Amino acid sequence: SVRLGEEGAVILKFMVLPNGRVDGDTISVVESSGSERLDKAAIAEARKAWKFIPATQDGKPVAFWHQFRVVFELKKARG
């Protein structure tokens, strides 16, 4: 993507589990970046590494739906 100069933003929707992890089976693209490669990279990162503070109900962690915008922006290297 860097070599191709791809940039954009993707909005993902997913379930956050009571442990704060993203339920990888629930991830969907609400709004595409315009690049399938960037959309897939955002989904892969959400599945692998994202963790949230879970919602609570009656003081106990519960699952909740969440939308998150991921921005891919190329920056010039400082030299």
Side-chain angles (χ1 to χ4, degrees):
S1 289
V2 171
R3 190 171 31 85
L4 296 173
E6 293 180 323
E7 294 184 307
V10 57
I11 298 175
L12 302 178
K13 181 179 179 180
F14 48 86
M15 175 76 66
V16 176
L17 300 170
N19 66 4
R21 290 288 196 194
V22 172
D23 179 350
D25 294 334
T26 65
I27 301 173
S28 63
V29 174
V30 174
E31 187 175 308
S32 174
S33 66
S35 164
E36 186 177 352
R37 186 178 289 110
L38 295 180
D39 293 353
K40 286 182 176 183
I43 290 168
E45 188 64 20
R47 280 191 175 121
K48 180 177 77 174
W50 290 2
K51 188 158 186 185
F52 294 85
I53 296 171
T56 57
Q57 186 173 24
D58 298 324
K60 296 180 182 178
V62 294
F64 66 99
W65 284 98
H66 188 58
Q67 284 191 19
F68 197 86
R69 184 172 190 251
V70 180
V71 178
F72 293 92
E73 182 177 83
L74 294 171
K75 305 248 182 193
K76 290 185 179 180
R78 296 181 192 190

